[in-house]
């Protein structure tokens, strides 16, 4: 990596280990990474896919979400999952099967074989999904599970870390896709199940120290021309209503435009880690050259 003094440095657990710790989690505050050496996991296939549940009936949608939350608690570490609540506009460019409809989607990725994957997913299938794509697939296709767009799109992103969710939280979440409510813009609200290996300290320590939340909320609200302010308003309302379950923390990898305020950046780190990052910033970038980012300012001894 190239640091603020123009030096090209190779950092590793044994070469400049403090910088190696900081750059993994400290985002773009410590230099420009020009090359990386990583280990690969020998995994050629996964059991993965989506289960679509109709979301027009709030009672049924809440039942699906509650059932998912109970199911997720019982899963082994080989199973990763998320649940998404979304509502499509009544727009002519959408396929008829989605147009003007609401859905609860469960996404899964499991490193087990298909027989075990089928057994683990069976409780979700018992909820009568409208569509089920779960099957063994090559790992190279794993990014297709969420149907990420192939081209740039205009979207307002927000995120939060959440405590365990009770019935009131579930009813609040389901209310955002109730078709009886006035339309647009339509936030896409995803809860990603954390825990497991993510909650344990890594073999090689790094600056991502917030690991104890059970769920990560990731919200994407489309912003066609002239609707960015409205998307921000809707996103603010969602987070406001979910505040009772918000841990107050954030993940460094999910800081967006809205999170550029220094105090919001600080919420992405455990306090001892943040203090260490500011001291290392003073050592490696004392003039804060790398500041057009989610900035960690340099703090010098005694400041």
């Amino acid at each position: 990596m190239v640091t603020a003094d123009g030096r090209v440095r190779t950092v590793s657990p044994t070469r400049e280990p403090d910088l190696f710790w900081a750059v993994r989690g400290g985002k773009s505050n410590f230099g420009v990474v020009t090359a990386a050496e990583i280990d690969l996991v020998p995994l050629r296939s996964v059991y993965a896919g989506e289960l679509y549940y109709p979301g027009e009936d709030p009672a049924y949608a809440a039942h699906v979400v509650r059932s998912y939350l109970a199911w997720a608690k019982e899963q082994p570490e080989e199973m990763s999952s998320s649940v998404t609540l979304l509502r499509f506009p009544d727009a002519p460019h959408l396929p008829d099967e989605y147009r003007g409809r609401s859905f609860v989607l469960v996404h899964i990725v499991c490193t087990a074989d298909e027989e075990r994957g089928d057994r683990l997913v069976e409780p979700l299938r018992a909820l009568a999904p409208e569509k089920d794509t779960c099957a063994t697939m090559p790992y190279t296709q794993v990014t297709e599970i969420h149907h990420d767009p192939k081209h740039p799109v205009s979207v307002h992103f927000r995120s939060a870390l959440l405590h365990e969710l009770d019935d009131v939280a579930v009813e609040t979440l389901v209310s955002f896709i109730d078709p009886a409510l006035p339309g647009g813009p339509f936030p896409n609200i995803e809860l990603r199940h954390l825990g497991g290996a993510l909650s344990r300290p890594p073999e090689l320590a790094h600056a991502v120290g917030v690991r104890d939340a059970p769920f990560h909320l990731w919200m994407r609200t489309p912003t066609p021309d002239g609707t960015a302010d409205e998307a921000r308003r809707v996103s603010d309302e969602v987070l406001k209503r979910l505040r009772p379950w918000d841990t107050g923390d954030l993940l460094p990898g999910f800081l967006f435009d809205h999170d550029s305020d220094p105090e919001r950046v600080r919420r992405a780190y455990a306090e001892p880690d943040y203090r260490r990052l500011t001291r290392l910033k003073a050592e490696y970038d004392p003039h804060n050259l790398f500041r057009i980012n989610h900035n960690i300012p340099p703090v010098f001894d005694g400041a």
Side-chain angles (χ1 to χ4, degrees):
M1 61 182 295
V2 182
T3 46
D5 55 9
R7 289 179 55 188
V8 179
R9 304 172 188 256
T10 299
V11 299
S12 72
T14 57
R15 300 177 65 176
E16 303 201 61
D18 283 344
L19 186 55
F20 184 67
W21 174 85
V23 77
R24 292 175 302 121
K27 297 178 72 74
S28 55
N29 280 280
F30 294 91
V32 179
V33 176
T34 59
E37 181 178 311
I38 62 172
D39 290 332
L40 298 179
V41 177
L43 185 65
R44 295 187 178 275
S45 64
V46 291
Y47 181 84
E50 303 168 285
L51 298 107
Y52 288 69
Y53 303 89
E56 288 85 3
D57 178 357
Y60 175 69
H63 173 62
V64 171
V65 175
R66 280 194 297 267
S67 299
Y68 164 78
L69 295 175
W71 172 85
K73 281 185 178 181
E74 304 300 323
Q75 295 310 297
E77 291 187 1
E78 60 207 287
M79 174 69 77
S80 294
S81 66
S82 69
V83 61
T84 300
L85 296 98
L86 73 164
R87 181 181 169 196
F88 290 105
D90 186 8
H93 66 275
L94 292 174
D96 289 342
E97 60 182 318
Y98 302 125
R99 184 174 174 179
R101 296 192 60 195
S102 297
F103 289 93
V104 177
L105 269 63
V106 175
H107 301 88
I108 66 110
V109 178
C110 184
T111 57
D113 59 29
E114 184 156 352
E115 181 180 357
R116 178 163 167 77
D118 277 336
R119 289 200 304 271
L120 292 173
V121 172
E122 182 54 38
L124 299 177
R125 289 187 165 133
L127 299 172
E130 186 175 297
K131 183 178 179 181
D132 177 357
T133 67
C134 296
T136 298
M137 65 170 63
Y139 182 75
T140 52
Q141 296 178 10
V142 73
T143 57
E144 298 178 11
I145 296 168
H146 280 77
H147 306 288
D148 290 336
K150 307 298 183 185
H151 305 288
V153 294
S154 179
V155 178
H156 179 67
F157 288 113
R158 298 289 288 277
S159 72
L161 287 168
L162 303 181
H163 296 292
E164 293 288 354
L165 303 174
D166 55 20
D167 286 346
V168 177
V170 171
E171 291 168 6
T172 301
L173 285 165
V174 167
S175 71
F176 297 123
I177 61 169
D178 188 343
L181 297 177
F186 301 98
N188 181 326
I189 303 169
E190 182 176 9
L191 294 177
R192 295 181 170 183
H193 186 222
L194 305 181
L198 289 171
S199 64
R200 296 196 294 271
E203 289 185 21
L204 296 174
H206 50 60
V208 184
V210 180
R211 293 190 294 268
D212 56 354
F215 290 99
H216 177 238
L217 180 145
W218 185 26
M219 182 164 43
R220 294 147 287 182
T221 306
T223 56
D225 292 345
T227 63
D229 289 343
E230 184 65 9
R232 282 192 287 270
R233 184 195 65 76
V234 169
S235 300
D236 285 343
E237 178 64 20
V238 173
L239 292 178
K240 178 182 177 181
R241 292 181 58 192
L242 291 174
R243 193 166 295 155
W245 301 277
D246 192 334
T247 68
D249 298 321
L250 296 166
L251 287 177
F254 289 87
L255 296 175
F256 303 111
D257 291 353
H258 180 80
D259 304 309
S260 59
D261 179 87
E263 284 307 309
R264 291 188 66 80
V265 174
R266 188 170 190 150
R267 287 169 51 187
Y269 301 95
E271 188 59 27
D273 292 342
Y274 185 79
R275 290 197 299 267
R276 183 181 176 188
L277 286 167
T278 61
R279 291 194 299 269
L280 290 170
K281 179 77 170 182
E283 178 180 348
Y284 288 99
D285 185 10
H287 302 294
N288 206 10
L289 175 68
F290 298 112
R291 63 185 181 277
I292 310 302
N293 51 20
H294 294 102
N295 195 234
I296 298 171
V299 175
F300 300 87
D301 287 343

